[in-house]
């Protein structure tokens, strides 16, 4: 199988389309991985992309559809009839099919579902659409292998063979009772080494990790990551086995969360991509830019309170950008560590101990940086000793306070159910800038008596 897309291949495909050489085009693409085909279609003119999509069989295009860029997939789905979309969904696992249907306009969803050939497949998809997409129910698929605790080994093997035909990959064999309640899991080794007449109830493993349908997807991801699970069963409120979540679904959740947190940290309030419209990008960026602008106004106002000192102690103002920048940088560093700890659930100990540790760390960093600043300002900038002392005292104070703010704010946001990644962006930077300037000139006023 070819995994690398060559320039020659990119040039060959449009030429075959122009020549209407469907046979050669189909043979050429059949050897490509579906992810490579999706990448090619994302870069091609839409007319060519839809042409290729329609000449390939549904078994191939169903996988391609899932790997496409969201915008390309949306355009493809608009161009396909409900029957054509249903043919694609018939080849997909239920969780993927439900995700595709969720992207369709409301008036098209019912038409597509009614065109699905496999009635059981359609029922499973409809069932999945009931769950919020950010929960375990919204992530899970219906494809799994399960056996009844009252069966013997021989019956289990027969049933497993039948069920496995509809499952792409068998991660685990789950054991349920007559009411479909999850009881445990079955070891393949025990199944192979046990007499065919032995009841499953005597050999299955009663300890099994599971999640409930309403558990947030981020919590599911944390559990699967922590326990290194390839798949995990999902049960409803009554403990009945309703589906399973596989590692590929969790990778998508982790990626989406990382993208979201990165954008929040950069001051982007909505989930956007580089190819989105100017209006969408503006709406995502503008709110935090407005906040930064307001913060700037407040900074100017704070500086105005000490206007009288400018004429007498002008050199104080040379260090204002330095103090503000250090406050913002220290705050971002501290908040980033806390946000990462919250995301990975690795924070331990009490809040007081956490703040004490951060205070001692920032005090050490502050003393080192202040010493460098004092020596540099005296020998390189020829600044008076008294000004150097003010700047160094202020720098230590600002670093300590900024680190405490950077530690406390994410924890506070997390406590109130707000994404703590918010605290690593312009919010923390702007607030620490203002705080740093205020501390700096307050210390200067106390020492110089202006």
């Amino acid at each position: 199988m070819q995994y690398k897309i060559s320039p020659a291949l990119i040039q060959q495909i449009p030429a075959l389309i122009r020549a209407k050489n469907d046979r050669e085009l189909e043979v050429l693409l059949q050897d490509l991985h579906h992810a490579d085909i999706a990448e090619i279609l994302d870069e091609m003119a839409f007319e060519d992309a839809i042409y290729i999509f329609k000449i390939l069989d549904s078994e191939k295009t169903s996988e391609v559809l899932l790997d496409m860029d969201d915008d390309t997939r949306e355009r493809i789905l608009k161009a396909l009839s409900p029957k054509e979309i249903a043919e694609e969904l018939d080849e997909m696992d239920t969780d993927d099919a439900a995700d595709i249907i969720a992207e369709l306009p409301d008036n098209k969803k019912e038409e597509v579902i009614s065109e699905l050939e496999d009635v059981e497949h359609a029922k499973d998809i409809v069932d999945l659409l009931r769950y919020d997409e950010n929960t375990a129910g919204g992530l899970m698929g219906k494809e799994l292998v399960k056996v009844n605790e009252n069966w013997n080994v021989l019956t289990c093997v027969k049933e497993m063979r039948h069920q496995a035909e509809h499952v792409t990959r068998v991660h685990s064999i789950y054991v349920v009772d007559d009411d479909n309640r999850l009881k445990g899991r079955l070891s393949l080794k025990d199944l192979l080494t046990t007499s065919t007449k032995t009841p499953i109830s005597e050999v299955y493993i009663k300890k099994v990790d599971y999640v409930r349908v309403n558990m947030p997807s981020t919590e599911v991801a944390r559990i699967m990551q922590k326990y290194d699970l390839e798949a995990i069963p999902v049960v409803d409120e009554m403990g009945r086995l309703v589906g399973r979540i596989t590692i590929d679904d969790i990778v998508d959740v982790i990626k989406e969360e990382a993208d979201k947190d990165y954008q929040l940290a950069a001051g982007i309030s909505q989930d956007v991509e580089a190819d989105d419209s100017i209006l969408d990008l503006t709406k995502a960026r503008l709110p935090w830019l407005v906040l930064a602008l307001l913060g700037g106004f407040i900074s100017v106002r704070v500086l105005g309170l000490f206007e009288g000192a400018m004429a007498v102690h002008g050199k104080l103002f040379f260090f204002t950008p330095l103090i503000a920048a250090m406050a913002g940088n220290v705050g971002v560093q501290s908040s980033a560590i806390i946000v990462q700890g919250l995301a990975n659930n690795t924070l331990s100990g009490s809040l007081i101990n956490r703040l004490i540790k951060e205070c001692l760390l920032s005090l050490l960093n502050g003393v080192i940086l202040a010493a460098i600043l004092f020596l540099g300002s005296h020998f390189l900038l020829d600044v008076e000793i008294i000004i150097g002392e003010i700047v160094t005292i202020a720098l230590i104070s600002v670093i300590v306070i900024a680190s405490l703010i950077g530690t406390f704010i994410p924890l506070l946001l997390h406590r109130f159910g707000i994404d703590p990644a918010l605290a690593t962006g312009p919010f923390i930077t702007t607030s620490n800038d203002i705080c740093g300037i205020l501390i700096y000139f307050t210390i200067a006023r106390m020492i110089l008596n202006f």
Side-chain angles (χ1 to χ4, degrees):
M1 182 179 289
Q2 182 177 345
Y3 288 95
K4 186 176 181 180
I5 304 174
S6 65
L9 178 66
I10 298 295
Q11 295 176 359
Q12 187 179 2
I13 292 175
L16 292 173
I17 294 175
R18 300 287 86 79
K20 303 292 183 183
N21 193 339
D22 294 356
R23 178 59 186 162
E24 188 173 343
L25 189 59
E26 188 175 354
V27 171
L28 177 66
L29 294 174
Q30 202 65 39
D31 291 333
L32 285 177
H33 192 275
H34 54 82
D36 288 333
I37 298 177
E39 184 177 338
I40 291 172
L41 297 187
D42 285 337
E43 299 300 324
M44 296 183 68
F46 177 70
E47 294 75 14
D48 291 344
I50 196 69
Y51 183 91
I52 290 174
F53 197 87
K54 289 195 174 186
I55 68 169
L56 296 176
D57 59 75
S58 295
E59 185 177 351
K60 190 78 171 180
T61 53
S62 62
E63 295 178 315
V64 173
L65 197 63
L66 295 171
D67 284 318
M68 281 181 172
D69 178 78
D70 291 346
D71 292 335
T72 306
R73 182 169 59 245
E74 183 180 353
R75 295 182 68 190
I76 292 285
L77 291 173
K78 282 183 179 179
L80 297 178
S81 67
K83 183 174 179 58
E84 289 172 323
I85 297 175
E87 290 173 356
E88 303 296 328
L89 301 186
D90 276 324
E91 299 293 336
M92 296 181 186
D93 287 342
T94 49
D95 56 334
D96 294 326
D99 290 340
I100 294 296
I101 290 182
E103 296 178 11
L104 299 174
D106 291 337
N107 61 340
K108 204 171 185 178
K109 289 179 182 177
E110 292 186 8
E111 295 181 59
V112 171
I113 293 172
S114 66
E115 293 287 352
L116 291 170
E117 292 185 0
D118 189 333
V119 176
E120 289 301 319
H121 191 60
K123 287 181 179 178
D124 287 340
I125 293 171
V126 171
D127 183 49
L128 292 179
L129 290 172
R130 297 188 298 109
Y131 299 105
D132 187 289
E133 63 176 345
N134 296 318
T135 63
L139 280 179
M140 70 180 182
K142 290 290 188 176
E143 293 79 12
L144 51 80
V145 176
K146 64 181 179 180
V147 297
N148 191 292
E149 64 176 343
N150 298 316
W151 294 346
N152 60 29
V153 170
L154 181 60
T155 304
C156 281
V157 171
K158 291 179 180 178
E159 286 294 326
M160 286 165 54
R161 285 175 180 171
H162 173 68
Q163 294 178 33
E165 293 178 2
H166 308 286
V167 181
T168 305
R169 185 176 300 170
V170 178
H171 293 280
S172 298
I173 303 162
Y174 303 115
V175 180
V176 298
D177 62 13
D178 292 334
D179 294 319
N180 199 41
R181 287 192 294 263
L182 181 65
K183 306 297 290 185
R185 58 188 174 88
L186 190 60
S187 164
L188 187 58
K189 178 182 176 181
D190 292 340
L191 193 66
L192 294 174
T193 58
T194 304
S195 169
T196 56
K197 297 181 180 180
T198 304
I200 290 300
S201 58
E202 295 181 9
V203 295
Y204 79 84
I205 303 167
K206 292 182 172 57
K207 183 179 180 182
V208 58
D209 297 307
Y210 64 88
V211 295
R212 298 196 180 275
V213 287
N214 55 358
M215 178 178 285
S217 56
T218 51
E219 182 65 14
V220 177
R222 188 191 67 78
I223 291 172
M224 292 187 68
Q225 183 181 29
K226 179 179 180 180
Y227 298 107
D228 197 22
L229 302 175
E230 291 186 353
I232 192 167
V234 183
V235 301
D236 64 11
E237 294 80 359
M238 297 177 65
R240 295 175 299 191
L241 180 62
V242 292
R244 67 162 184 172
I245 298 171
T246 52
I247 190 63
D248 58 314
D249 301 313
I250 291 305
V251 169
D252 292 338
V253 171
I254 293 173
K255 181 180 179 300
E256 288 173 7
E257 267 312 292
D259 290 344
K260 176 185 172 184
D261 288 347
Y262 183 80
Q263 289 188 352
L264 276 176
I268 299 176
S269 56
Q270 299 177 20
D271 184 15
V272 292
E273 297 181 359
D275 294 332
D276 287 349
S277 68
I278 293 178
L279 181 60
D280 289 337
L281 291 171
T282 299
K283 288 192 292 186
R285 296 183 185 186
L286 193 58
W288 285 110
L289 293 177
V290 171
L291 176 64
L293 183 63
L294 292 175
F297 276 124
I298 296 174
S299 297
V300 171
R301 179 58 182 161
V302 170
L303 286 172
L305 298 175
F306 304 97
E307 184 178 3
M310 185 178 294
V312 182
H313 307 288
K315 287 189 177 181
L316 281 175
F317 288 85
F318 295 157
F319 292 93
T320 303
L322 184 149
I323 295 293
M326 289 302 297
N329 292 337
V330 170
V332 168
Q333 282 187 340
S334 299
S335 61
I337 295 296
I338 298 299
V339 170
Q340 185 181 43
L342 290 171
N344 298 331
N345 200 31
T346 55
L347 287 182
S348 59
S350 66
L351 175 60
I352 297 298
N353 291 336
R354 173 74 47 189
L355 293 176
I356 291 174
K357 181 179 179 180
E358 192 64 32
C359 184
L360 293 174
L361 174 63
S362 58
L363 187 60
L364 177 60
N365 288 335
V367 169
I368 295 171
L369 293 171
I372 295 172
L373 177 61
F374 181 81
L375 294 174
S377 64
H378 181 67
F379 292 105
L380 298 179
L381 303 178
D382 195 26
V383 174
E384 301 172 46
I385 295 292
I386 187 67
I387 299 297
E389 290 175 350
I390 291 171
V391 173
T392 53
I393 293 172
L395 183 63
I396 294 173
S397 303
V398 164
I399 287 176
V400 171
I401 302 242
S403 67
L404 293 177
I405 292 175
T407 300
F408 182 73
I409 293 298
L411 294 171
L412 183 66
L413 293 176
H414 181 68
R415 177 68 62 87
F416 286 98
I418 302 171
D419 194 331
L422 193 66
T424 60
F427 176 80
I428 201 76
T429 304
T430 302
S431 60
N432 275 332
D433 284 352
I434 298 169
C435 184
I437 292 172
L438 185 60
I439 291 171
Y440 173 46
F441 281 102
T442 300
I443 291 173
R445 171 176 282 177
M446 292 170 60
I447 295 176
L448 296 175
N449 294 318
F450 58 78

